[in-house]
Amino acid sequence: MKVAPWSPELAEQYRALGLWSGETFDDVLRAWAGDADIASHTAVVDVDRRLSYAELHERVDLLAAGLAALGIRPDDRVLLQIPNRVAFVETVFALFRARAVPVFGLPAHREAELVGIARSAGAVAIVAPRAHEGFDHRALVEAVAGQVDSVRHLIDVDDLDSLFAEPIEHGRADPSELAFLQLSGGSTGIPKLIPRTHDDYLYSVRRSNEVCGVTGDTVFMATLPVAHNFPMSSPGILGALYAGGTVALTASPTPSVAWEMVQREGVTMTGLVPPLARLWTETAERGTEFDISSLETIQVGGARCPDELARRIGPALGVTLQQVFGMAEGLVCYTRLDDPIEEICTTQGRPMSDADQVRIVDEAGEPVSSGPGFLETQGPYTIRGYWAGAGADSFAPDGWYRTGDVVELNEHGNLVVRGRGGDRVNRGGEKVSAEQLEEQLLEHPGVRDAVVVAVADQYLGERTCAYVIPADPQEPPNLAGIRRFVREAGLAEWKLPDTVKVVDGFPETGVGKVSRKKLRALLAG
Ligand code: OOB
């Protein structure tokens, strides 16, 4: 169903090379639960719960049966908004077992995003906590369900046991078919849905494990929101589970909470976005009473890590740094653990697989050998199209994915990310669509016109600045009022503008288009 296919030639090649192995996620859990050496090993742990592989398997059986009893059928989409807790892993694997399709919403999403995602997915159920970090998720998902006809069930993730039912046989998923829907960090405000198959995603997980040295001894901590592609699969929690290792889930990424988990569980590996890496590095440089010496590898990705920060991470935290440049659509690049330190600190690595194909093109789509230029890619785990045909212009006529990222290839074959087109602000890994925010600002009665651009920020890498032409120059809107307005419109907190500048006009390009480039230059000045 609805997965844009690879060409028959590529598919045959990926199978012949053994990249697509015909395994499913449920096969993986069943195999470990049936393996005497691994079954009793901790699969997943959070601040107050711990499950071995055998226990996880058993609870997944009960929950999958319960979901089926509710009426959730194979191929039904189920929207998740689950924080970093053991229940995330239980729910995802129960949906896999029931052959339903998880849709990976984030705890930070609000009404506008969830309604958009649930609608385009045609979700039949939403799984969320009652409350999380002081926010009423129950009220949120009720409001979403009220607006999306397909949603028939709201499931409380804190009360999964109440659904448990006598285990049943669900049949086996087709590994070449849709396994779940990941969300794009893309330039549209409502994330586009990314259909991933068992074959393609499991290949990326297996290959990530090889590149990142993940084994049964790995304790991987999800520090970022676990539903995101980076902590999920690069190599992330799925990598650790694939290897028979342990997944630790921290409730908060701040050193005072996360490092307690590192110390308690002997965490060996985690992934951070650059602002968090800075916080961890600065905290460690000042000295800490936590014993974090079990940490071997820290990955940084999601946004460009400044070289200056990259150089400090290893020494401060006593780890090997790995830069990760990836996207939920597929391609993931890693620096290798044994790369020269200078390459690790100044590049974003290279594709994980020899079967990944990359090309750098100019504005006209013409190849430029080493860039800088726009990165395009195809490969065994990069999608050929979004869910239900959305965003077709993100794919070249020959099916390659247009990442939108501006990159350069250095003489050692590593990529350096230089930026992107101006449609998107990367706020420390959390992506803000300029277009979505502009549309929201235009709804504000005090705003006649608005343009959103990124400005450089030492901490976040980029932050958002909204240029606003007021409806009434005598009463221009202010930052607090605009932020309140956007929040009330149901947008996630990270999308509220950081700065508002009131102007009487926008600089224009030759053809009368607003020049984001000039606005940015103005800001830099
Ligand atoms: C990851 O995935 P998404 O889908 O949230 O965002 C992808 C975009 C990339 O196209 C690029 O613009 C940016 O995020 N990005 C980076 C980067 N890693 C991602 N820009 C510069 N340097 C990096 N290291 O963000 C993602 C998915 C899997 C693994 C890691 C990150």
Side-chain angles (χ1 to χ4, degrees), residues 471-484:
D472 175 1
Q474 303 309 317
E475 276 187 60
N478 63 18
L479 178 65
I482 285 202
R483 285 174 62 90
R484 194 177 331 112

Side-chain angles (χ1 to χ4, degrees), residues 199-227:
D199 269 338
D200 91 74
Y201 213 62
L202 272 168
Y203 170 60
S204 80
V205 166
R206 240 182 303 124
R207 181 62 194 146
S208 292
N209 276 0
E210 288 168 12
V211 169
C212 306
V214 173
T215 70
D217 295 327
T218 296
V219 182
F220 178 86
M221 180 167 76
T223 306
L224 301 172
V226 61

Side-chain angles (χ1 to χ4, degrees), residues 210-213 269 297 320-322 335-340 344:
E210 288 168 12
V211 169
C212 306
M269 179 175 191
T297 309
T320 300
L321 169 67
Q322 180 173 53
T335 56
R336 305 306 197 256
L337 300 176
D338 58 357
D339 273 348
I344 291 177

Side-chain angles (χ1 to χ4, degrees), residues 335-391:
T335 56
R336 305 306 197 256
L337 300 176
D338 58 357
D339 273 348
I341 189 75
E342 195 54 21
E343 292 292 308
I344 291 177
C345 292
T346 61
T347 80
Q348 281 63 57
R350 52 194 178 277
M352 68 165 112
S353 167
D354 287 342
D356 285 318
Q357 293 171 270
V358 294
R359 64 188 180 204
I360 303 177
V361 302
D362 64 16
E363 300 265 358
E366 293 302 320
V368 284
S369 58
S370 59
F374 293 99
L375 177 68
E376 300 188 344
T377 183
Q378 77 168 0
Y381 60 96
T382 295
I383 57 164
R384 312 298 293 192
Y386 288 105
W387 173 253

Side-chain angles (χ1 to χ4, degrees), residues 260-281:
E260 196 174 327
M261 178 71 83
V262 171
Q263 179 175 300
R264 193 184 85 185
E265 299 301 325
V267 170
T268 60
M269 179 175 191
T270 192
L272 306 173
V273 288
L276 262 181
R278 188 179 293 283
L279 177 66
W280 281 36
T281 298

